[in-house]
Amino acid sequence: CLLQLFSHLNKSAADNILFLFTNARSTHYAPGDSGPVLESILKDLRERPPNVDIKYSTNTIYCFDNESFRYLVATVPPNNMKFSEDNKIDYNASWDRSVKECKRMFDYIRTLRPYNIRDTLSLNSAKQVILLLSQPLADIAKNIADNQIQCEARKRRILECESDINKLQVELYVPQVDIISTPLPHPKLVCTDTSCCTRRHVQGTSVTQYDNECQYTTLMEYENEQFNVGIGYGKFLFGASQSQTKSSQKVMCLTCGHGTQSHRYIRYENKVQHRQVRDETKQQRITSVSEAAEAQRSQLEELEVKIGELTRESNIIVKCMARFAYFLAQNSLTRMDDHFERHIQQLIDDEVNTGAISDDDSSKVIVGKLKQLLDSYNCEKQLIINALKSMNANEFNISLDEIQGMISELCGLKWTGSTIVRLMEMQRCVQVRGHTRVNVVSHSVPDKAAVFSKLNVY
Ligand SMILES: [Zn+2]
Ligand SMILES: [Zn+2]
């Protein structure tokens, strides 16, 4: 929960983070049990990447209690509740203490350097766009590979025709594999385990369909089973050490039973469509053998150009994604998963797991191409890290403008640009709808909102 909050902030916010503890009278105006937990989280952030040092000291810790305010509300009309004199003294002390703490906090805040919220907002929206792009770009990277395979196959067929004009006329076209995506009504949790999805093959191009809509459940696991079955009862009575009762949580899927590792959220579903792009005028002109040879030559050239252009687009995608990943790591308070890498790896696993079923070796070619893509992606990331080492760490900084430039470059790509725009928009819409749904649930007034129901005022 704390990490989720941090994930919305940038590294530059680290110095301006304060920790406020409420209901602190019961813990004698100290952090109480949350203290050690919080400290261990902060230690983790400090010692592991992204190595952010969030200060945890008297200056950043403030403890309050609002019981005196509740007391005040309870004593005045329409509540008119009566309290003993002892209570009143307690609440007075509590009020003074909290006011003092409040003053101390404002004094400290005055010494802090202001944190630029506008930067955060634009940084956050850039981060959002990048996160929304990782799935579409992985899908498109595969689509590029699919298209290249189709073009290569077409080249072979056209070469086979030699001088047979009739046969050649049939084969003369540029194949195009399109991604047809349908947005889902809300983000859907799916399982990527082979037993939970179906692979469909359409003319040598494969798509994964997820069979289930999954649901997580949280299981509590006790580290010490003895304690659980009651054998350690004696120990428990005589003050068993805290570690014996420490429990860990395990999240599992209710629907299929697989772990979180094999699950992910999707916001749209993909299908593929094969098209044949023919140049009719070119075909009508073929009457002689020499014209056929010319048509064959120009068609091969056209295919070659398309393959080349697709390779270039794929390289741009990889380059941008590597920079995006660096940008995210550079600006986040918390550790970011590499979503792009995970998506590509997922596509590879899908192909490998079902490769045996497909009737041709296009699956192997696709795996080869995707692995190559992943290699060059990691290579790009390494290049950035190397560049970083060779100069001052603060100098190598990917700016917001550069990120925006890269996004518009991606959207303007000849073959895949329009699909990138379409899928990104889809991601955004479904994401927003997902938020709406979650908000409706979390904003309902809980049944036990005792204070509110007593006051009858909202
Ligand atoms: Zn599942
Ligand atoms: Zn499953």
Side-chain angles (χ1 to χ4, degrees):
C1 173
L2 186 69
L3 290 178
Q4 257 176 345
L5 272 176
F6 282 171
S7 71
H8 292 285
L9 296 168
N10 296 301
K11 268 187 186 170
S12 56
D15 293 336
N16 292 15
I17 294 177
L18 305 180
F19 300 94
L20 310 190
F21 296 89
T22 52
N23 289 326
R25 190 173 66 114
S26 56
T27 54
H28 308 286
Y29 298 95
D33 292 342
S34 344
V37 182
L38 189 60
E39 265 180 298
S40 85
I41 293 177
L42 296 178
K43 185 168 170 249
D44 224 36
L45 278 175
R46 187 161 48 236
E47 285 171 5
R48 288 207 300 218
N51 301 92
V52 184
D53 186 14
I54 299 173
K55 289 181 195 69
Y56 187 75
S57 64
T58 344
N59 275 340
T60 58
I61 302 170
Y62 299 90
C63 305
F64 307 92
D65 206 305
N66 67 346
E67 54 180 0
S68 44
F69 177 72
R70 280 189 297 188
Y71 160 78
L72 205 62
V73 173
T75 48
V76 295
N79 301 299
N80 297 322
M81 284 166 81
K82 294 269 178 279
F83 291 90
S84 73
E85 199 56 30
D86 282 356
N87 278 331
K88 202 173 161 186
I89 292 168
D90 278 351
Y91 290 134
N92 264 334
S94 162
W95 173 268
D96 290 344
R97 177 91 200 214
S98 296
V99 169
K100 231 171 91 191
E101 197 72 347
C102 228
K103 277 193 184 134
R104 191 170 72 88
M105 182 177 78
F106 284 120
D107 286 343
Y108 180 68
I109 289 177
R110 271 209 294 264
T111 68
L112 293 175
R113 208 159 54 92
Y115 168 63
N116 194 334
I117 295 176
R118 189 170 304 158
D119 279 3
T120 315
L121 289 179
S122 43
L123 272 176
N124 278 353
S125 70
K127 280 196 229 167
Q128 271 298 319
V129 173
I130 292 173
L131 290 177
L132 288 183
L133 267 174
S134 59
Q135 171 77 52
L137 287 186
D139 287 342
I140 285 165
K142 175 173 182 294
N143 175 256
I144 287 179
D146 282 336
N147 267 301
Q148 287 178 322
I149 288 170
Q150 293 297 320
C151 286
E152 293 286 356
R154 189 89 335 247
K155 266 168 67 186
R156 285 196 296 275
R157 291 295 290 267
I158 291 173
L159 279 171
E160 279 164 16
C161 293
E162 290 295 337
S163 52
D164 186 335
I165 296 178
N166 290 336
K167 214 173 137 193
L168 188 65
Q169 274 181 330
V170 181
E171 302 290 349
L172 277 187
Y173 63 85
V174 177
Q176 170 67 29
V177 188
D178 293 321
I179 304 180
I180 310 287
S181 312
T182 330
L184 294 164
H186 56 84
K188 180 175 163 187
L189 184 66
V190 294
C191 180
T192 53
D193 194 274
T194 14
S195 58
C196 291
C197 45
T198 320
R199 298 279 288 163
R200 281 175 196 279
H201 293 268
V202 185
Q203 299 168 38
T205 310
S206 53
V207 204
T208 308
Q209 278 194 332
Y210 303 102
D211 300 338
N212 305 325
E213 167 144 25
C214 289
Q215 216 186 338
Y216 282 154
T217 179
T218 310
L219 297 176
M220 294 296 277
E221 276 193 340
Y222 290 91
E223 268 175 21
N224 191 325
E225 274 178 305
Q226 278 190 331
F227 175 74
N228 215 6
V229 292
I231 300 170
Y233 186 63
K235 275 189 192 167
F236 176 62
L237 268 184
F238 300 106
S241 66
Q242 292 90 332
S243 67
Q244 305 253 335
T245 55
K246 202 187 257 176
S247 60
S248 65
Q249 288 184 351
K250 189 183 176 192
V251 179
M252 267 193 42
C253 176
L254 264 183
T255 316
C256 71
H258 291 116
T260 41
Q261 275 305 311
S262 45
H263 286 80
R264 66 187 180 90
Y265 279 97
I266 56 166
R267 301 188 179 84
Y268 57 82
E269 272 170 341
N270 284 339
K271 281 194 184 117
V272 289
Q273 191 181 51
H274 287 254
R275 279 192 295 143
Q276 300 179 357
V277 183
R278 285 171 189 278
D279 186 345
E280 297 294 341
T281 53
K282 209 186 265 173
Q283 301 204 346
Q284 279 159 6
R285 264 182 276 135
I286 305 173
T287 47
S288 68
V289 179
S290 65
E291 275 169 352
E294 170 57 25
Q296 189 187 34
R297 195 196 57 76
S298 83
Q299 189 72 81
L300 285 175
E301 201 181 277
E302 202 179 320
L303 287 168
E304 199 53 57
V305 169
K306 181 171 176 181
I307 294 173
E309 285 174 345
L310 285 173
T311 308
R312 201 182 68 88
E313 294 196 2
S314 175
N315 290 341
I316 292 176
I317 290 176
V318 163
K319 264 207 173 72
C320 287
M321 230 32 240
R323 277 173 168 63
F324 289 165
Y326 177 74
F327 176 81
L328 287 184
Q330 191 185 29
N331 287 297
S332 301
L333 262 174
T334 47
R335 221 181 76 79
M336 298 296 276
D337 280 341
D338 193 325
H339 291 273
F340 185 68
E341 186 176 351
R342 226 181 79 203
H343 291 320
I344 296 285
Q345 191 57 51
Q346 183 64 53
L347 290 169
I348 294 175
D349 292 347
D350 283 355
E351 289 292 338
V352 172
N353 289 338
T354 53
I357 309 164
S358 81
D359 44 357
D360 49 42
D361 60 7
S362 65
S363 194
K364 265 187 215 132
V365 185
I366 263 283
V367 169
K369 277 182 184 289
L370 289 176
K371 278 193 174 148
Q372 213 182 342
L373 186 97
L374 205 55
D375 284 347
S376 51
Y377 174 64
N378 286 323
C379 201
E380 279 293 332
K381 284 209 296 189
Q382 197 53 49
L383 276 179
I384 297 176
I385 294 169
N386 291 345
L388 192 71
K389 276 184 195 152
S390 66
M391 56 175 109
N392 190 337
N394 293 326
E395 273 174 41
F396 191 83
N397 205 323
I398 298 176
S399 74
L400 213 55
D401 286 343
E402 282 172 84
I403 294 292
Q404 256 135 22
M406 279 187 264
I407 291 172
S408 38
E409 183 184 11
L410 286 171
C411 294
L413 291 178
K414 179 183 169 187
W415 294 101
T416 51
S418 59
T419 318
I420 293 177
V421 174
R422 193 159 45 85
L423 290 187
M424 196 165 80
E425 202 39 53
M426 218 173 259
Q427 288 272 76
R428 213 195 302 261
C429 287
V430 179
Q431 172 104 334
V432 169
R433 265 184 264 163
H435 281 313
T436 325
R437 204 172 75 121
V438 172
N439 282 349
V440 168
V441 176
S442 61
H443 280 249
S444 60
V445 179
D447 297 337
K448 288 177 186 164
V451 178
F452 291 114
S453 55
K454 255 189 228 160
L455 290 174
N456 263 331
V457 186
Y458 291 94

